[in-house]
Amino acid sequence: GEGMDEMEFTEKAVVSTQSTGVTAIKYTVREEPQPIDNMLRTHIGQFLSLLKDQDLNVRRMALVTLNSTAHNKPALIRDHMEEILPNLYKETTIKLKREVEMGPYKYPVDDALDNRKAAFECMYTVLQSCMDRVNIFQFLDHVEMGLKDVPDIKMLTYLMVLRLVHINPNAILLKLESILEPLRDTFQSKLKDICPIGQEVEKAQELKRSAMRAVVAINKIPDIEKMPVFIDFMKKLRANKETDLLLEQELQANQASYDDMVFSMDH
């Protein structure tokens, strides 16, 4: 029947050209009903090897596909996490910087940025769907690196911290110092240094707000107020007028959404 043709077509695509294969897999993960899952299962090994490909673009497509698989059909990859994670982690560390000349100016460009972003997006999805297969401390080592990366990646890692506070607060406590340090750097940096171009000020402000949301979440971990490193961190935040205001705003916003939640649970 038609399903069979579809499977043969996809199989050929997977085998023939790599990027077509990745696209075909991505299409099937999203759109297709169950029969296709078996085929994906058979080819998952081939697909996973694309995460190690020499070509930056092939790897990026493989990461995007991995992300949508982890999101839509985590069962397909759950048993392969041991093979997937080292490739994912490796991608978060790759930077390919060069300078581009535009008129009299030179701009820094990082050709690996989109791949890093895709890898961190995968980590975030894994956090929601396959976390029981992950060594949390290894995972956190790479979250820490992301906390020191460019603004877009920082934002993703702040979201991961928020999530981890709920699913594994103890891990956050054990790594607290190395999580707080890059957060402190974000608060201390001037907006123009975060995003040098004029219209990016909003983005820089949003970055500080996101960082503060992570702090407010950490602040809710039981007994955190007894930890000297956190006491010191909060004292310094409070001592600065700008961050003190930001902290108050986020505490109120957080309380408001919490009240809404409790209210809707009561009714």
Side-chain angles (χ1 to χ4, degrees), residues 51-52 62-63 66-67 81 83-94 115-116 118-126 134 139 142:
L51 291 169
K52 298 195 272 271
L63 286 163
L66 177 64
N67 196 28
M81 290 316 285
E83 194 184 337
I84 290 170
L85 287 169
N87 294 314
L88 205 50
Y89 293 155
K90 186 179 174 190
E91 200 72 57
T92 66
T93 65
I94 298 172
N115 280 43
R116 280 207 312 289
F120 277 106
E121 276 165 11
C122 280
M123 281 176 65
Y124 182 64
T125 307
V126 162
V134 171
F139 189 91
H142 293 273

Side-chain angles (χ1 to χ4, degrees), residues 104-150:
Y105 302 107
K106 284 185 175 178
Y107 290 96
V109 172
D110 179 355
D111 291 325
L113 177 58
D114 284 344
N115 280 43
R116 280 207 312 289
K117 245 189 266 184
F120 277 106
E121 276 165 11
C122 280
M123 281 176 65
Y124 182 64
T125 307
V126 162
L127 196 52
Q128 293 171 295
S129 57
C130 307
M131 211 47 206
D132 52 323
R133 300 294 173 96
V134 171
N135 173 328
I136 187 73
F137 294 109
Q138 245 180 339
F139 189 91
L140 272 168
D141 283 342
H142 293 273
V143 170
E144 278 171 36
M145 290 169 67
L147 288 167
K148 299 173 188 153
D149 210 316
V150 299

Side-chain angles (χ1 to χ4, degrees), residues 190-202:
K190 296 190 169 52
L191 293 177
K192 64 175 173 46
D193 296 335
I194 299 178
C195 302
I197 307 157
Q199 72 268 30
E200 303 265 307
V201 166
E202 266 176 45

Side-chain angles (χ1 to χ4, degrees), residues 17 26 37 41-42 45 47 52 57 82 89 101 117 119 132 145 151 161 169 179 183 191 193 202 221 223 246 253:
T17 76
K26 188 174 170 200
D37 290 3
R41 229 172 245 120
T42 359
F47 163 63
K52 298 195 272 271
N57 294 321
E82 277 183 23
Y89 293 155
E101 287 187 28
K117 245 189 266 184
D132 52 323
M145 290 169 67
V161 171
I179 290 171
L183 284 170
L191 293 177
D193 296 335
E202 266 176 45
I221 299 175
D223 292 338
L246 190 59

Side-chain angles (χ1 to χ4, degrees), residues 24 178 243:
S178 41
T243 47

Side-chain angles (χ1 to χ4, degrees), residues 18 21 26 47 50 56-57 64 66 75 91 125 160 195-197 216-217 226 247 260 267:
Q18 292 185 320
K26 188 174 170 200
F47 163 63
L50 300 181
L56 206 62
N57 294 321
V64 169
L66 177 64
E91 200 72 57
T125 307
M160 289 190 222
C195 302
I197 307 157
V216 168
K226 295 179 186 150
L247 177 60
D260 281 353
H267 289 71

